[in-house]
């Protein structure tokens, strides 16, 4: 798997998502390399350059061939914008929704425990829930 190790913005993580998708990665892999890496990137930018640095992470629209990840990027941008008091970029406010409920913690090789499904349904922030993505609050804690 050839992935990027330096990132400037969310579009850089989207490049990795495309690489991993092309190589047959599952949605959980794409979530980890796309969304979770973007969380780390945002937190680093905030720590280094304040809110303005964080806003720059989401300035360009990330586009992948995977609709769930595109919706995840939009949800994440809106989540951070709402949490940290800035306006989400226009691309993040376009309607997008996963056609089926998606639990990113799910891996193809094992079933997701019912307690994790229940917790995800209870804890999912609205920005993700409205896009039919279900996560726990721990999924947003990275750095």
């Amino acid at each position: 798997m050839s992935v990027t190790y330096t990132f400037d913005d969310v579009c850089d993580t989207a490049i990795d998502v495309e690489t991993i998708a092309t190589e047959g990665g599952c949605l959980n892999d794409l979530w980890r390399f796309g969304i979770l890496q973007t969380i780390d990137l945002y937190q680093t930018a905030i720590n280094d350059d304040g809110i303005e640095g964080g806003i720059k992470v989401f300035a360009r629209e990330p586009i992948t061939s995977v609709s769930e990840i595109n919706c995840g990027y939009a949800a994440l941008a809106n989540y951070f914008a709402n949490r940290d008091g800035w306006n989400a970029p226009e691309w993040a406010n376009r309607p997008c929704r996963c056609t089926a409920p998606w639990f990113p913690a799910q891996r193809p090789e094992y079933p997701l425990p019912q307690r994790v499904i229940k917790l995800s349904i209870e804890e999912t922030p609205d920005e993700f829930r409205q896009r039919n993505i279900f996560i726990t609050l721990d999924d947003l804690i990275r750095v």
Side-chain angles (χ1 to χ4, degrees):
M1 184 179 328
S2 61
V3 295
T4 309
Y5 291 99
T6 59
F7 303 98
D8 291 321
D9 67 9
V10 67
C11 291
D12 291 332
T13 69
I15 293 168
D16 281 354
V17 166
E18 280 304 304
T19 301
I20 295 164
T22 301
E23 294 173 355
C26 69
L27 281 173
N28 177 271
D29 294 334
L30 303 180
W31 174 268
R32 287 185 301 113
F33 280 90
I35 306 302
L36 299 185
Q37 185 63 49
T38 302
I39 292 171
D40 290 347
L41 180 61
Y42 179 82
Q43 292 300 96
T44 299
I46 291 288
N47 291 341
D48 291 349
D49 301 315
I51 293 296
E52 289 305 315
I55 292 170
K56 288 178 185 175
V57 168
F58 291 100
R60 296 188 305 146
E61 179 177 8
I63 299 172
T64 75
S65 61
V66 183
S67 63
E68 292 90 346
I69 297 298
N70 294 337
C71 288
Y73 282 133
L76 188 63
N78 276 284
Y79 173 80
F80 283 137
N82 291 335
R83 185 191 76 177
D84 296 339
W86 50 274
N87 293 321
E90 178 273 328
W91 64 263
N93 292 314
R94 287 190 216 120
C96 71
R97 184 172 167 80
C98 297
T99 55
W102 179 38
F103 295 82
Q106 178 69 55
R107 290 201 54 86
E109 62 270 16
Y110 64 84
L112 199 58
Q114 285 300 311
R115 64 179 172 70
V116 175
I117 292 172
K118 183 177 185 256
L119 185 63
S120 297
I121 290 170
E122 291 171 2
E123 289 188 354
T124 296
D126 288 340
E127 296 86 357
F128 291 87
R129 181 182 311 283
Q130 69 190 18
R131 290 171 176 85
N132 221 11
I133 301 170
F134 296 91
I135 61 174
T136 67
L137 292 177
D138 286 346
D139 292 327
L140 296 173
I141 300 169
R142 299 283 298 151
V143 177

